[in-house]
Amino acid sequence: YHASVIRAANFLSLLAENDGIPYYTASNTAAGIIANLWLGASNTGRVYDDSIINEKLNKNGICSAAYVGGRWAIWGAHAASYDQEDGDSVNVSETNMMMLYYLSNDFQDRRTFDVDKPMSANDIQSIVAEEQTRLDALVKINALTYAEALLDASEAARSDMYNGDFLFYFNVTTTPLAKSLSVLVNWVDDGYATYFAPLTGGD
């Protein structure tokens, strides 16, 4: 519960910093008010590391807190619906899901004033162009990696248009989060050629 409250506060702070666009996760942000944890007399001084938290909690979509990088941090960027059996390309990251909600809600909020007004072919083209411009701006700031706005003009959709129902599509790809960074360090003897060059006259 404590970590969830801090996570929510950190997420709101990130939203404010990024103009309300939810493409940053609260995971791996400082949780400085966590201190003096009491886990029982038999666990004095014990702190669960991020590998245990990842294995027991994070892989099941449960956000927690971990002591990483010399400070307590919120830990876990999966959506709550994520687990090993039900993971997909959307719920693998809370930012993926939040960006989809953001795009849908933002469109509805801005386009409210277009409802119950005449909708010419030029109006439709203008809406598509304006929405594409907004999506392109999200790609430019790395909130999305791909975005396309279009109107469903299929034959089935045209019958709905007679009734005033217009369906627009946003085909988007969200920017993936770095879940882990790994490095393999290999020892090689290639550097000895440079090392010995001054001693052997460059041979």
Side-chain angles (χ1 to χ4, degrees):
Y1 171 76
H2 191 58
S4 296
V5 171
I6 300 170
R7 179 188 191 190
N10 288 7
F11 179 73
L12 291 174
S13 176
L14 288 167
L15 276 179
E17 292 174 18
N18 295 290
D19 298 321
I21 305 169
Y23 66 108
Y24 274 88
T25 177
S27 182
N28 202 14
T29 58
I33 64 173
I34 296 176
N36 302 319
L37 296 180
W38 173 251
L39 303 174
S42 63
N43 290 313
T44 300
R46 181 175 179 181
V47 174
Y48 293 110
D49 63 21
D50 56 320
S51 62
I52 292 175
I53 291 171
N54 286 338
E55 181 65 23
K56 303 297 183 185
L57 299 174
N58 194 22
K59 76 176 185 179
N60 292 302
I62 300 171
C63 171
S64 186
Y67 193 75
V68 291
R71 92 288 194 221
W72 281 100
I74 299 302
W75 205 250
H78 295 312
S81 61
Y82 176 89
D83 63 39
Q84 309 94 297
E85 286 78 38
D86 195 26
D88 58 39
S89 57
V90 175
N91 68 10
V92 69
S93 168
E94 63 180 353
T95 54
N96 291 350
M97 195 163 285
M98 292 304 295
M99 281 301 297
L100 298 182
Y101 287 140
Y102 168 78
L103 292 170
S104 176
N105 292 338
D106 181 61
F107 176 84
Q108 292 178 58
D109 181 58
R110 289 182 293 99
R111 292 299 171 187
T112 298
F113 300 103
D114 294 320
V115 173
D116 291 338
K117 304 283 174 57
M119 182 68 67
S120 69
N122 284 340
D123 292 332
I124 293 171
Q125 291 174 343
S126 293
I127 289 174
V128 171
E130 289 168 11
E131 296 303 326
Q132 186 64 57
T133 299
R134 293 182 68 84
L135 293 175
D136 289 344
L138 293 173
V139 171
K140 188 172 183 179
I141 65 169
N142 297 319
L144 299 172
T145 60
Y146 173 84
E148 176 189 32
L150 50 93
L151 172 77
D152 182 0
S154 65
E155 187 173 342
R158 289 178 201 166
S159 63
D160 292 331
M161 290 182 202
Y162 297 147
N163 296 321
D165 300 317
F166 296 86
L167 177 60
F168 294 88
Y169 278 101
F170 289 174
N171 295 324
V172 300
T173 305
T174 54
T175 304
L177 297 178
K179 187 174 181 182
S180 69
L181 300 176
S182 303
V183 63
L184 292 176
V185 180
N186 297 311
W187 187 93
V188 296
D189 60 7
D190 299 24
Y192 282 138
T194 303
Y195 177 81
F196 284 114
L199 305 175
T200 60
D203 295 333

